[in-house]
Amino acid sequence: MLYTNLKHLESLADHQKAITENENVMVICGRMGPMCIPVYGIAEELEGEYGHVAFYDMEFDNPESNVIRILPEVKGFMGIPFTIYYKNGKVVKATSGIQSREQVKAILDKEFAMTIKA
């Protein structure tokens, strides 16, 4: 298990539940390493600002994370973490490697923009 303050996905069933029960989901699939830890920290900070997004982590070395590692969107990725953004159960964006707070916010703002209902 990853030592973050994010909600943890430990199984395929957890993953499926997360992306079906939440409209907007960000999953960081990685390890407790130097490229991953900053991304977890950014997600932990942004969780309070983006109440309409569900933030999760998933351990890259867990066999169950194959659900992420086999996505066509991550084909060719060379570095971890793999960060996957789901909207209504479908992948809308995927990144790999370390990301800055500004990069993550730009994706969240673009892919999960809040709309005001009239």
Side-chain angles (χ1 to χ4, degrees):
M1 178 165 55
L2 297 169
Y3 297 98
T4 75
N5 291 321
L6 300 171
K7 294 177 261 342
H8 308 299
L9 301 176
E10 296 183 29
S11 68
L12 177 59
D14 290 346
H15 176 271
Q16 190 61 35
K17 184 177 179 183
I19 67 170
T20 57
E21 291 184 357
N22 299 285
E23 179 181 357
N24 304 309
V25 178
M26 176 182 174
V27 178
I28 306 165
C29 184
R31 299 180 177 125
M32 292 308 294
M35 300 298 278
C36 303
I37 292 172
V39 183
Y40 301 135
I42 290 165
E44 289 170 353
E45 291 172 9
L46 294 177
E47 199 167 20
E49 293 178 38
Y50 290 84
H52 65 294
V53 178
F55 293 83
Y56 294 92
D57 66 31
M58 190 168 205
E59 191 172 13
F60 189 83
D61 297 311
N62 177 343
E64 300 281 312
S65 72
N66 195 46
V67 68
I68 289 175
R69 291 183 276 120
I70 66 166
L71 289 170
E73 292 85 357
V74 305
K75 186 177 183 176
F77 280 7
M78 302 296 279
I80 57 173
F82 291 1
T83 305
I84 314 298
Y85 301 83
Y86 297 90
K87 180 142 191 102
N88 297 317
K90 300 204 182 319
V91 176
V92 292
K93 181 76 175 171
T95 63
S96 74
I98 196 165
Q99 301 277 301
S100 70
R101 180 182 171 93
E102 292 74 27
Q103 289 170 309
V104 173
K105 282 185 64 129
I107 294 167
L108 293 171
D109 291 343
K110 179 179 183 230
E111 301 300 339
F112 306 142
M114 295 276 295
T115 56
I116 298 170
K117 296 179 182 175

